[in-house]
Amino acid sequence: MILSSVQLKNFRSHRNTEINFSGNINYITGGNGQGKTTLLESIYYLCTTKSNIAKADSDVVCFNEENFEIKGSFNNSINNEVRIYYSAEENKKYYFKNDKQVFRAAEVIGQFPVVLLTPADHAITQGSPSDRRKFIDSVISQASETYLKNLLDYNKTLKQRSQLLSRLKEQKQFFYTTELEAWTEKLVAAGSEIIKARKRFCKEFNRFIAESYNVIMESDEIPGVAYNYLDGSGTDEIEKLFSDMLSQKKDEELRRASNLIGPHRDDFIFSINDLNLKTFGSQGQHKTFQVVLRFAEFFYLKEMTNRVPIFLLDDVFGELDINRSSKISSYLSKVGQAFITLTDFTNLSYLQKEEDDLILYVSKGNVSYGT
Amino acid sequence: MQIPETLQNAVDELSKLPGIGKKTAFRLALNILKSDDDKVKSLVLALEGLKSKLHLCKNCFNLSEDDECDICRSNKRDKSIICVVEEVSDVIAIEKTNEYSGTYHVLGGVLNPLMGVTPESLKINELMVRLNNITIKEVILALNPDTEGETTALYLAKRIKEMDIKVTRIARGLPIGGDLEFADEATVGRAVLGRIVI
């Protein structure tokens, strides 16, 4: 799938921008604060109906304006024209696909798959377990609707169960009632599905990580992701283990009125040659690993969904050396269409630029084509 | 223009109903205003009848015009099978199929701690009393396959198993006449897991 053109009206600093893209790599260059990342944000909007940065649609409207509009043209075997219009007065966003209004975001999500690498990705390898769970869950959910439904079911069960635990605490009933037993059983059933799916995923995903790592690093080090579930006990009888752990924590759960164990507390461990990245990794290794993870996500989604995602890379070369940057840019030529922002024009000489690649200069919300 | 207070009251009351917004309520109110007196009177009677004539069956909590509902009174129904459902509308849905000849038990909801629904606020104790009083061969749990419905089924199964009564849950899978390719992933997945030998 190729995004062939985009038109922006009153979208942040872009008052009126119209760009035709290359089907290969699009290098977006310019100084700080000129509107490079905004271009990526607008593409993300087109693919997912929401921003990856702004919390509210009203945040991205150009100052002193009442609305914004993003139009995009996707070319697959067929053409799809997508238009997003937001009116500040109504505080309402309209999404049109081929001039027909789409009312449910679910109808759009997954239609135009997108993989985004941003500086915020540092949280995946350096942040808290919840950042890692969020990353892994989002990758699996994009490939499996069943997983997403299980996850929603599990999260709902967690909320209900914690409410019930609070009520029991208030009533000073520090023992398992039949009602709590039922919610516990539901928690185990739904949670075990999640754990099993995550285990399967990590096994599969390791292949993709290793492949991307070897291309970018050109080394025979072995990278990996391991799933640390239910306090790292590591057996295969998930259901039994899960309910055993829950009965061990019974008193504590009742006392603290919260769900203390389950996939919502698990962690993932990234490693290089079995050394924990979080403990031993340098800044550069972290950055490289984050890049590797997004490439792995890209190829994983491509294989699982049979759709080629659009790849957005925001300031990926900022912290990497010349050699690494050049490897990544040549790797990208295998990807299909990609959009990369760069701060420094001179960097371009190191990149493996192909003939069909495009260079765009962004300055104060205006875009011009380079060579 | 100021809308007359009587009309405004009618609109406000109508728009409290589910699925009815201000505009629809307004249209309904004007339509009632234009109708003949007879029509309006029979509408009022029908509405009042809902509250004054209909009760919940003392046995199964289905809707009934008497103490006991038609299903509980009928001697054609198998009293040794009870189908547990969430709402009265579920009884109607199952009755339409003509496939079921047992009796019902309407819970009036499902367990939902967040909304403050506890086992005590549902007709669960009444169900246990029924199970104790007469010989029951089977209890069918026909609750919705969502988070709360499934948990309520687990809860009931736990309570009923102690009484040594067979508990079943209705199957889930593909709709009849439906296309496999149009069903959602989770449903197809469940249907494959729940396959049967032919």
Side-chain angles (χ1 to χ4, degrees), chain A residues 34 53 75 113 122 186 191 253 281 286 369:
Chain A
Q34 303 299 312
I53 302 165
N75 299 80
H122 75 88
K186 174 71 193 162
E253 282 200 323
H286 273 283
Y369 298 96

Side-chain angles (χ1 to χ4, degrees), chain A residues 87-205:
Chain A
S87 149
E89 198 189 355
E90 296 172 78
N91 188 21
K92 199 173 169 195
K93 180 167 54 183
Y94 300 86
Y95 192 100
F96 298 90
K97 193 174 146 192
N98 300 322
D99 291 331
K100 264 195 212 154
Q101 193 176 350
V102 175
F103 294 95
R104 289 175 54 229
E107 282 177 49
V108 179
I109 290 161
Q111 287 274 312
F112 309 113
V114 59
V115 171
L116 170 71
L117 170 64
T118 80
D121 281 359
H122 75 88
I124 299 174
T125 63
Q126 291 168 304
S128 63
S130 73
D131 295 310
R132 281 180 283 287
R133 286 195 301 269
K134 207 168 129 197
F135 168 71
I136 301 274
D137 284 343
S138 91
V139 180
I140 314 179
S141 299
Q142 284 180 79
S144 161
E145 207 184 310
T146 311
Y147 184 80
L148 182 62
K149 284 199 173 154
N150 279 340
L151 201 61
L152 296 175
D153 185 31
Y154 180 75
N155 288 338
K156 213 162 158 199
T157 311
L158 280 177
K159 273 194 203 145
Q160 294 280 19
R161 191 168 179 271
S162 95
Q163 181 66 38
L164 176 59
L165 285 166
S166 317
R167 194 181 79 215
L168 292 175
K169 188 180 175 179
E170 259 170 47
Q171 298 168 343
K172 303 217 182 317
Q173 289 188 35
F174 293 110
F175 54 87
Y176 259 43
T177 58
T178 315
E179 190 184 6
L180 182 56
E181 269 174 29
W183 281 106
T184 305
E185 207 171 297
K186 174 71 193 162
L187 191 76
V188 170
S192 300
E193 288 306 313
I194 309 250
I195 295 176
K196 285 181 202 163
R198 284 181 181 170
K199 271 182 76 172
R200 273 200 306 275
F201 169 78
C202 283
K203 220 169 151 190
E204 183 86 352
F205 200 54

Side-chain angles (χ1 to χ4, degrees), chain B residues 114-131:
Chain B
L114 287 169
M115 305 292 285
V117 183
T118 64
E120 292 73 35
S121 48
L122 300 173
K123 304 289 182 201
I124 289 178
N125 283 334
E126 289 82 350
L127 174 65
M128 296 304 145
V129 171
R130 270 180 86 183
L131 296 180

